[in-house]
Amino acid sequence: MNSKQKNCPKKPLTRFITDDDNCWQLNQYKSFGGYEGLQQALTLSGSAVLDEIKESNLRGRGGAGFPTGLKWSFVPQGDDAPHPKYMIVNADEMEPGAFKDRLLLEKTPHQIIEGLIIGGYTLDADIGYIFIRGDYYTAIERIELALKECYNNNLLGRNILGSGFNFEIHIHTSAGRYICGEETALINSLEGKRANPRAKPPFPQVAGLWGKPTIVNNVETFCNLPHILNFGATWFKSLGRFKDAGTKIFGVSGRVKTPGLWELPMGTPIGEIIENYAGGMCDGYKLKGYLPGGGSTDFLLEKHLDTPMDYDEIGKQRSRMGTGTIIVLDDKYCPVAMVLNLVKFFAQESCGWCTPCRDGLPWAAVLLEKIEQGKGELADIQQLEDLCKFAAPGNTFCALAPGAVEPLQSALVFFRVDFEQHIEQQSCPYCNSDNLEDGDDK
Amino acid sequence: MTLQNQIPTNEIVEFSDVEKAQIDKLLLENPHISGVSIDALKIIQNHRSWVSDACILSLSQYLDLPLSDLESVATFYNLIFRQPVGKVVLHPCDGISCDLMGGEHIRKCLSNKLEINNGQTTKDNQFTLISLPCLGACDKAPVMIANETLFELIQEKNLPLIINNLKEAISK
Ligand SMILES: Cc1cc2nc3c(=O)[nH]c(=O)nc-3n(C[C@H](O)[C@H](O)[C@H](O)COP(=O)(O)O)c2cc1C
Ligand code: SF4
Ligand code: FES
């Protein structure tokens, strides 16, 4: 695309974020080049935009890393395609340890809206939804105001910027359930139903919300679109340090010196993120392990720190990039307690549809609690391993349960000694650790 | 309305003009009635602090939706309260990143200070304690939401001040 003359950014997603509290507003967003990607898109045909997105190798940032262009290509096009078609931003962000979408929602609502309008134009969609976590109060307020600004400036509504394209966007605030983030459960929730996932096929691209073609993508995925249109697919691919294209908002939480979020090239090694950006471990704490991509990814260890944050490379280490928000486990927090916390969460949030999840996860939580309280038996470890297998992909209706057992199954391998110690000494070896006390002053 | 006797109430409530106006606005924006049910429940909760059986029955009549549909939705979601709550609901985070940073200890302190367990309301009806999973602010752990405000990097020694400030906010 004709972008060679332009000053191409290295950190497109955060280039609009300044110290100014009002940097999220339309005039500021525009002053940094906001809505230029949309203008660029409107000069092209929808199918040309789709080609550019495919060419960019953009992969979904919501956890699974599915190629966005490919996903979109299944939406029926042409004069006899069903309408209205829907385009939905998944801003539910309830994965434990994930906090990256909040930044984009609060600081760059227009970037998300611009991405959504571009998506709508590409697929000739009619209605957009932003499905947002109910307790992201600041984000909700700003998105609502940003939408108003758009309607007042002909960026939404009829005949957008004189292009003849009509598009409207609504916001839906969720009533809170992790499963709402699963895209077909999200669609059920938007229809005012319980958020149970749907059977596929039919895929939402063909029959989604109210039976019409529907696309659901993550907040961060949409944020990439304006820049791909603005600066071109070739530029986008050049941003990555490994195979995957573009940048990503990575984050670190846990006992590190400076927890936070940073936009970095795809393929940045995990160790670099933890050491250089999160400042390494707090004084007096050592790295024991970490979940590389949020609460439903497998543990990795110190020896894996060289692994690039690249979907396939992390996959080779038997974990997942997930949301790209790393949760660090230090040497003073009990790994059994950590897994118990996570499994309890997933058990609670199970939608109750299928047995390995509805009954298996609570059972795993009971066993973990027993071990943590010093009442475990060696047979419990075997049982936990079995429960992990029951919840494996293919045995359940959606990906919640397989994700739920990822930290557990890897902990049983990497921290086996800890599990066994709990059982041998019939108490938690970490129970005097200072992690249970108040955090140190910062 | 044959499903009425599924729940133990025949009581109905009269929605206020404001509630009706807000629900009507939803109906105007959404061509599918059932699509407004969650938002409508939230509107009612906003005005009444929780959603009683009588509210659900009345809403089903108002929207002309099956009572069982509304009932099943109202019981599914975490943020629809089906029991009375205090003036302020405290939502300390019980997610893993907060617990790694001492979140469990903070929740215990809150419980002790207010003399209630998770899920309970103080005798003076001021506070209800309902912990929530990861609140999406893990770099500021441990955190809590109350009164639509996010409290970050909470330390035990700050809890009295936080509670007092919230008390002042509700007495206004
Ligand atoms: C239990 C569960 C929860 C999920 N939660 C979210 C979420 O909060 N946000 C999100 O973007 N994707 C979430 N996903 C993934 C979505 O199903 C879907 O893959 C994603 O929104 C697609 O967008 P992407 O291709 O842009 O990543 C979740 C999946 C599962 C199984
Ligand atoms: S795996 Fe769990 S969340 Fe997914 S459909 Fe089955 S019960 Fe529901
Ligand atoms: S775990 Fe508490 S905010 Fe994420």
Side-chain angles (χ1 to χ4, degrees), chain A residues 179 197 349-354 357-358 396-402:
Chain A
I179 189 61
E349 295 297 322
S350 163
C351 84
W353 192 261
C354 52
C357 180
R358 182 193 55 235
T396 62
F397 197 60
C398 88
L400 185 144

Side-chain angles (χ1 to χ4, degrees), chain A residues 91-95 131-137 140 172-182 185-186 189-190 193-195 345 348-351, chain B residues 38-39 42 45 72-81 91 130-135:
Chain A
D92 198 41
E93 190 160 71
M94 280 189 70
E95 172 92 0
F131 187 102
I132 185 168
R133 226 190 128 141
D135 40 27
Y136 274 10
Y137 301 107
I140 292 168
H172 175 87
T173 60
S174 175
R177 263 320 267 273
Y178 170 60
I179 189 61
C180 289
E182 198 280 339
L186 183 154
S189 189
L190 266 184
K193 298 181 183 144
R194 289 168 83 94
F345 164 77
Q348 218 170 62
E349 295 297 322
S350 163
C351 84
Chain B
I38 294 171
D39 292 305
K42 285 178 117 182
Q45 177 159 302
S72 80
V73 165
T75 51
F76 187 84
Y77 295 94
N78 296 337
L79 296 178
I80 310 270
F81 303 137
H91 295 297
I130 301 178
S131 64
L132 281 182
C134 180
L135 297 173

Side-chain angles (χ1 to χ4, degrees), chain B residues 45-166:
Chain B
Q45 177 159 302
N46 259 342
H47 290 281
R48 296 164 191 259
S49 86
W50 69 292
V51 181
S52 64
D53 288 348
C55 284
I56 293 186
L57 179 56
S58 311
L59 185 63
S60 89
Q61 290 171 356
Y62 193 77
L63 294 177
D64 197 16
L65 283 175
L67 178 59
S68 60
D69 284 9
L70 270 183
E71 179 71 20
S72 80
V73 165
T75 51
F76 187 84
Y77 295 94
N78 296 337
L79 296 178
I80 310 270
F81 303 137
R82 298 302 323 282
Q83 282 174 20
V85 291
K87 289 206 177 103
V88 175
V89 185
L90 302 174
H91 295 297
C93 176
D94 63 14
I96 185 57
S97 302
C98 283
D99 272 15
L100 284 164
M101 300 301 286
E104 188 175 0
H105 181 68
I106 295 294
R107 291 197 303 283
K108 268 189 204 140
C109 294
L110 266 177
S111 235
N112 290 342
K113 180 152 176 51
L114 300 171
E115 299 177 348
I116 48 173
N117 292 326
N118 193 34
Q120 296 179 331
T121 300
T122 52
K123 278 200 205 85
D124 60 6
N125 224 15
Q126 293 213 310
F127 295 104
T128 302
L129 194 57
I130 301 178
S131 64
L132 281 182
C134 180
L135 297 173
C138 322
D139 54 341
K140 304 281 174 6
V143 301
M144 172 171 83
I145 289 181
N147 228 5
E148 305 205 353
T149 309
L150 181 72
F151 296 87
E152 305 174 339
L153 297 166
I154 300 175
Q155 296 180 25
E156 181 178 357
K157 62 176 188 224
N158 300 338
L159 285 178
L161 187 66
I162 293 176
I163 298 287
N164 275 342
N165 286 348
L166 284 169

Side-chain angles (χ1 to χ4, degrees), chain A residues 288 291 297-301 329 335-336 338-340 342 368 381 385 388 405-419:
Chain A
K288 180 154 178 113
L291 305 173
T297 60
D298 286 89
F299 275 103
L300 291 177
L301 303 176
L329 168 65
V336 177
M338 176 163 179
V339 175
L340 171 62
L342 289 165
L368 285 164
I381 297 185
E385 281 172 340
C388 289
V405 296
E406 282 179 26
L408 172 58
Q409 71 194 13
S410 48
L412 285 169
V413 176
F414 292 146
F415 310 128
R416 184 122 194 148
V417 175
D418 290 288
F419 282 83

Side-chain angles (χ1 to χ4, degrees), chain A residues 60-62 71 90 92-93 178 181-183 216-218 221 399:
Chain A
R61 304 298 199 232
K71 177 170 181 169
N90 189 343
D92 198 41
E93 190 160 71
Y178 170 60
E182 198 280 339
E183 59 182 34
V216 181
N217 276 114
N218 175 253
T221 312

